[in-house]
Amino acid sequence: MTSVTDTDTITTIDRIRARHDDAVHIGTGCDIAADVDIIIDTDATITIGDRVSIRRGTTLQANTGGHIVIGDDVAIGENVVVSAMTTIRIGRGAGISNMVDIHDHNHRPRTHENLAPGEPITPWASGFDAAPITIEAGAVIANKVSITAGVTIGQNTRVGANAVVSASLAPNATAVGVPARVVTRTPGPLDPEQPRQQLRIGWFGTSLMEHYEAHNPRLSTQADLPDIGQQLEVTEWRNRGYVHALITGWSIHYPWITILSDNRGEGGATSRNVLANLRAAVDDGGRWDLAVVGVGINDVWRHHQGRHDEAVGIDEYDTNICAALDLLTNHARRTLVIGEPPMGWDPSIDVPAANRDLADYNRRARRAAEDHRALFVDIWDDITYTATCFGWSPTTPTAPATGAPSVWTDGVHLSEQGDEAIRQMVARQITTHRILDGLLTLDRLDRATATREYR
């Protein structure tokens, strides 16, 4: 190993600065081996913080439009390769051991779409997909680990030797294997200056999703509860129901993530209204990691109530939900469509006939979801099963006796049991398909799109 004295360090850093000028920034007190290879292409940069150590044989390559950012007090071992087409960030105090490979890009498949006619056979002919990589403060990466595009490795997390990190890892964890999986978690201090990762979830639907509850803060403040019989003024509406329960559960399951819930459910909304709400949200710059759509019950209900101006026929419903999913293709990373539950009772309409129509609308929603590569959650059978166990009949639907359990409060809106049933079904599908886990790893996009989207 080449010994690095103060004079050698100055010579090495001066050589790097002279070669790359403003494209490189190197802080104070750095220890960089003489044979470290720094490659910076057009419109690319490398930023190295203070007191960074980079040992022999390591390569830092910022490809055209790519950026490498290394925080203070980082130690990088021997024969490490860091190659960026978008951005690779290594947080302060992180340790990267020998022969680690960090690439924020991959070769695209050799398909007709990715190869120009007559293109020579070269390793790069099909182009690249790319997504930023973040190694957060205090993380330690052992020998011969490979870290792939889009991954975030949380603060203080340790990755065992020879692992392949292809999905993001939580902070304060130990991960091993191919692919790397968390095997232990330990509490530890997090850097307050490290921004928390965020997931934004948008909800577009009816009152089943909106689920407003009249509230006064004293009603839930244990140290200041009102006396029985005391009158309080309603001071706010708050969203509750299955959406609130899901967000609460996810915030506990992923405590290192800030989950932002953008609930745009609207009481009485038909697919017409939901589409208009979504368009307004998109016009306001709305973008979501996960968008959830649930609509149809009011389209049918209004028809059976004789409110034909508000009702939405099944063909228009099909058009509306497809238009909504078209919009979300470009404004949400993943989309989930929740089927509507059956109606329980309504003395003013023929409920079995309305439910037959609503089942047809759900079939259209399922087909639209499949056509748009969205996940469809069918809640009909589970709600029906639970309701019948509570004593409800789908052929002769009537309101339950006072105090009897029910999945509905008024025959259409959900009770706590109904909300819990939907929460369980949605949570199960989200977990089975690893939706939130997948969203923690950034999507790999073609190189040009990645450069633009992740700038």
Side-chain angles (χ1 to χ4, degrees), residues 300 304 350-363 380 394:
V300 173
H304 285 267
D350 182 344
V351 171
N355 281 340
R356 286 193 294 273
D357 289 344
L358 188 52
D360 289 337
Y361 280 59
N362 276 344
R363 282 188 280 272
W380 188 279

Side-chain angles (χ1 to χ4, degrees), residues 278-349:
L278 175 58
R279 283 175 171 156
V282 167
D283 288 344
D284 287 341
R287 297 185 72 88
W288 303 272
D289 294 292
L290 173 64
V292 185
V293 179
V295 65
I297 196 166
N298 289 317
D299 301 50
V300 173
W301 197 16
R302 298 293 177 262
H303 171 72
H304 285 267
Q305 289 174 319
R307 298 161 63 178
H308 299 298
D309 289 345
E310 301 171 54
V312 177
I314 193 166
D315 289 335
E316 183 188 347
Y317 171 80
D318 197 21
T319 299
N320 290 340
I321 197 164
C322 286
L325 295 178
D326 284 339
L327 276 174
L328 291 172
T329 297
N330 295 318
H331 292 86
R333 294 172 60 198
R334 291 296 303 271
T335 302
L336 183 148
V337 178
I338 302 179
E340 296 286 69
M343 301 181 199
W345 65 88
D346 181 344
S348 67
I349 68 171

